[in-house]
Amino acid sequence: MGSARILAVDDERETCEALAEMLSAWGHKVETAFDGHDALRKAGEFRPDVVLSDLAMPETDGLWLLRNLREELPDCPVVFLTGRGTIDTAVEAIREGAYDFIVKPLDTARLKVCIDRALEKKETMREVQTLRRRLKQLGSTDLIASSTGMRKVIEMMEKVAPSKASVSISGESGTGKEVVARTVHNLSLRRDKPFIAINCASIPATLIESELFGHERGAFTGADQRRPGVFEMAHGGTLFLDELGEIPIDLQAKLLRVLEEGRLRRLGGKVEIEVDVRVLSATNRDLKQEIKNQRFREDLFFRLNVFQLHLPPLRERREDVPILVQHFVDKFRGDSAKRVSGVHPEAMEVLKNYDWPGNIRELRNAVERAVILCDGELITREHLPPDMAGKGPERHTFKLPFGLSLDAVEREYILGSLQRNGNNKARTAEVLGVSEKTLYNKLNRYAAENRAQGTPGGPMGGQGNDGPLGASSSFLVR
């Protein structure tokens, strides 16, 4: 992370000043305080990004400071320094909303990672607020994303929304296809007209025609009154057909005619009714394969597939997990009157490393469950679903031959870690316990060495995860 404002608090002046000197050397702007009252006053003036405080102090201890800071700076992460004799108090502080604690004597590498993660959490919360403001303007409060893939989707949505074109939305179950459809509607000129969503898979085949086009009284057994279909209900607005591939083949011709002519006839009716509806659709099925198997009409496919939006699964946009988690924490905290404010770093690591087969729907349910179980301010690993909480980051190995120099071992370990983290340099630096600048310097040196040796591939053009051939020893990359 870059430079930040940090308030260092310790009743021992020499310790506090030494801490401030170290933090300043890391590039942060530091203010010091020597008791709780002094810290509270300076926090109001300095507006720190992180507070780093001793837990055991005379008169006003760390817990007192935490409780009072909550009113002054509710979004400011607080990290405590504690001796082994006060770990129970530190755990209580976590329950009350402290971001983390570090046991003395200080491990500087752990302290640095902890501060970076605390800053990352604050930045995540800031991003959530910014995205909420923007998405509220776009017409959605549930579409939360900052990843490159989803930003492209949002840009495409903004471009297609004002048009009349039919939009096909694809993606795995739980990726938010209805949320996207609703946002397209809210961005369109039809925003003040109805948005009607229907899941074609949930309607019995014998009733789906009536559901789509309506029916007259007496059209079939049980039709005791006239009922409009979803096309009539969405007149002037937008109709979202989810699980489009479930519509029976014999009904698809009638659907195509309605789309092309803008007219329909209710089941059992004699009069045609004009409808002005923009149709958005989604399906988990491969419609091109369905066409080959003669289960879906090709002309209907082209009519509905004028513009395509594909939603990537959550496992391909892991950088969105923290802001989605924070969004759902805030949502369910309000619904349940809980005081949960965020997620402990260990729990967040579990959430970021999980594959999410159920995508955002599964994440939403996991966070809702955690908020219900959490009695403090931070969700911990024990609040996550059992099958998820038991899974930490996977352990991976790569092999190196004996006889390599330490520089060569370091190179392979760094490049292996970089590959393991999907070439995400910020996360790799965090895992390795070094600054991003240090990591970039090393990667640039490796790239220069490769160029000098005529090896293609830049900094990732080294041995990779398998290492050179020969006798080997294993190293764990987390």
Side-chain angles (χ1 to χ4, degrees), residues 395-406:
R395 294 167 68 91
H396 285 251
T397 66
F398 65 96
K399 297 181 178 180
L400 296 172
F402 290 109
L404 287 180
S405 67
L406 285 176

Side-chain angles (χ1 to χ4, degrees), residues 15-318:
T15 302
C16 191
E17 290 174 351
L19 193 59
E21 185 178 345
M22 180 173 62
L23 294 170
S24 298
W26 291 347
H28 301 302
K29 186 176 180 181
V30 185
E31 189 68 60
T32 57
F34 307 110
D35 62 56
H37 291 294
D38 189 28
L40 197 58
R41 179 180 61 80
K42 288 187 175 177
E45 298 170 355
F46 184 53
R47 312 300 291 184
D49 296 306
V50 176
V51 172
L52 185 61
S53 174
D54 190 17
L55 184 57
M57 296 185 293
E59 296 183 18
T60 52
D61 64 3
L63 278 176
W64 180 91
L65 176 60
L66 175 67
R67 290 161 184 159
N68 284 275
L69 276 173
R70 191 181 299 137
E71 299 178 10
E72 184 73 27
L73 297 170
D75 297 331
C76 181
V78 178
V79 177
F80 283 121
L81 309 179
T82 180
R84 297 196 176 276
T86 54
I87 288 180
D88 288 345
T89 309
V91 172
E92 181 185 347
I94 292 288
R95 292 197 185 103
E96 292 213 22
Y99 179 74
D100 206 349
F101 68 89
I102 299 176
V103 179
K104 297 178 181 178
L106 287 183
D107 178 339
T108 55
R110 169 160 163 62
L111 175 62
K112 190 173 189 310
V113 169
C114 184
I115 290 173
D116 286 347
R117 285 180 173 172
L119 290 170
E120 184 180 289
K121 179 199 173 186
K122 184 161 187 177
E123 183 61 29
T124 294
M125 294 179 74
R126 187 181 292 120
E127 282 184 19
V128 169
Q129 296 303 322
T130 302
L131 283 167
R132 278 184 182 153
R133 284 194 294 271
R134 182 177 176 226
L135 292 168
K136 190 174 182 180
Q137 294 171 349
L138 294 181
S140 174
T141 56
D142 291 323
L143 186 62
I144 301 293
S146 64
S147 61
T148 302
M150 281 304 296
R151 283 185 184 277
K152 288 180 180 177
V153 171
I154 292 172
E155 287 173 9
M156 297 283 277
M157 287 165 52
E158 289 177 292
K159 289 178 180 178
V160 74
S163 74
K164 296 181 179 180
S166 299
V167 179
S168 172
I169 307 167
S170 61
E172 295 180 5
S173 178
T175 49
K177 295 187 286 292
E178 184 173 339
V179 172
V180 168
R182 191 178 295 273
T183 304
V184 169
H185 168 75
N186 289 338
L187 287 170
S188 74
L189 301 177
R190 299 169 178 261
R191 66 177 68 89
D192 296 326
K193 299 296 183 179
F195 173 84
I196 305 295
I198 179 174
N199 188 315
C200 302
S202 65
I203 304 169
T206 53
L207 296 179
I208 194 166
E209 183 176 359
S210 169
E211 192 70 25
L212 288 174
F213 308 122
H215 62 257
E216 297 289 347
R217 181 179 178 183
F220 52 85
T221 303
D224 55 356
Q225 59 183 353
R226 173 188 290 173
R227 183 176 182 277
V230 291
F231 268 91
E232 284 184 77
M233 293 166 63
H235 179 66
T238 304
L239 174 61
F240 175 54
L241 299 176
D242 199 3
E243 301 295 351
L244 175 72
E246 303 298 327
I247 295 179
I249 187 74
D250 56 345
L251 186 58
Q252 292 173 22
K254 187 171 183 178
L255 174 59
L256 179 64
R257 181 174 176 272
V258 172
L259 293 175
E260 290 183 337
E261 299 181 6
R263 303 173 69 84
L264 63 82
R265 185 178 297 164
R266 297 191 192 108
L267 197 62
K270 298 179 180 179
V271 179
E272 286 196 332
I273 302 166
E274 289 191 5
V275 288
D276 172 24
V277 176
R278 183 188 191 179
V279 175
L280 311 179
S281 61
T283 181
N284 289 322
R285 291 193 180 191
D286 182 348
L287 291 186
K288 290 185 178 180
Q289 187 60 48
E290 293 290 288
I291 291 169
K292 289 179 182 178
N293 295 335
Q294 298 186 337
R295 289 195 291 262
F296 200 85
R297 294 180 61 106
E298 187 174 31
D299 47 5
L300 179 58
F301 171 79
F302 287 121
R303 181 66 181 78
L304 292 173
N305 207 45
V306 175
F307 196 93
Q308 304 86 37
L309 291 173
H310 176 69
L311 305 185
L314 190 53
R315 62 182 174 276
E316 292 179 9
R317 41 181 286 220
R318 294 181 191 272

Side-chain angles (χ1 to χ4, degrees), residues 444-465:
N444 288 334
R445 178 161 62 84
Y446 300 154
E449 290 172 356
N450 283 344
R451 287 194 295 271
Q453 296 168 8
T455 305
M460 288 300 291
Q463 309 291 350
N465 273 4

